[in-house]
């Protein structure tokens, strides 16, 4: 049986998936042991802390995280229970709900960002900044987003 060579795009996708799994596992372990949150939790806090008014519609948060609305709800519920995130209704539209970061969530997000920056630098610090910028732009194109606004 002959093994067919992969298309370069398929090879890239496989390598990207493995790199993503490695990075998420490393960040999950570090954030969990030091701050009691997962990397997914950190991403939520990060996006909320950078949003105007430090809140986002749940559907916008789902878009930024590339998750379904129910996926975001599953992440938000424990964060709400421990006081890192709050729910806010839209006074103009009862169907719309906002997720907002609390003061405790903001403080944790700052501390967790310091750790995430350290881990990211350990993992990627040897790569030239211009290569990281190029790869970051490529990943943004794949995801269909502008990473500077995320």
């Amino acid at each position: 049986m002959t093994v067919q060579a992969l298309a370069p795009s398929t090879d890239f996708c496989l390598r990207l998936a493995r790199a993503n799994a490695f990075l998420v596992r490393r960040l999950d372990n570090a954030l969990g042991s030091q701050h009691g949150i997962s990397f997914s939790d950190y991403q939520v806090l990060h996006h909320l802390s950078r949003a105007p008014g430090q809140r986002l519609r749940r559907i916008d948060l789902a878009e930024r995280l590339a998750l379904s609305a129910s996926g975001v709800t599953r992440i938000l519920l424990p964060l709400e229970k421990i006081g890192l995130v709050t729910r806010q209704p839209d006074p103009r539209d009862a169907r719309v709900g906002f997720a907002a970061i609390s003061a405790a969530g903001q403080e944790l997000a700052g501390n967790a960002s310091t750790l995430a920056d350290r881990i990211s630098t350990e993992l990627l610090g040897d790569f030239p900044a211009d290569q990281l910028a190029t790869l970051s732009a490529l990943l943004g194109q794949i995801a269909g987003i502008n990473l500077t606004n995320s």
Side-chain angles (χ1 to χ4, degrees):
M1 179 173 175
T2 305
V3 176
Q4 182 178 353
L6 293 175
S9 56
T10 303
D11 184 57
F12 175 81
C13 287
L14 290 169
R15 289 173 187 260
L16 179 61
R18 182 178 164 103
N20 178 66
F22 174 80
L23 292 169
V24 168
R25 185 176 60 238
R26 180 75 188 272
L27 288 161
D28 265 342
N29 289 339
L31 290 165
S33 67
Q34 296 227 356
H35 298 292
I37 61 172
S38 69
F39 184 56
S40 294
D41 297 336
Y42 168 72
Q43 290 178 80
V44 167
L45 297 174
H46 167 78
H47 287 296
L48 292 175
S49 70
R50 294 175 50 120
Q54 297 184 321
R55 70 181 196 161
L56 288 169
R57 293 183 315 161
R58 288 171 175 262
I59 193 71
D60 294 331
L61 185 56
E63 177 67 26
R64 290 183 188 202
L65 297 169
L67 294 174
S68 65
S70 62
V72 166
T73 298
R74 282 191 297 277
I75 292 173
L76 288 174
L77 285 174
L79 296 176
E80 290 170 4
K81 285 183 180 180
I82 61 174
L84 300 176
V85 173
T86 62
R87 287 184 195 218
Q88 294 181 348
D90 186 335
R92 294 174 296 207
D93 188 345
R95 298 168 297 174
V96 176
F98 287 92
I101 192 166
S102 68
Q106 188 68 32
E107 182 177 346
L108 180 60
N111 293 334
S113 286
T114 300
L115 177 61
D117 286 347
R118 184 173 58 78
I119 298 296
S120 299
T121 299
E122 285 174 12
L123 295 172
L124 302 170
D126 291 339
F127 291 94
D130 62 328
Q131 285 184 357
L132 288 175
T134 300
L135 183 55
S136 191
L138 174 62
L139 293 173
Q141 287 176 351
I142 291 169
I145 58 172
N146 179 349
L147 291 177
T148 59
N149 294 330
S150 300

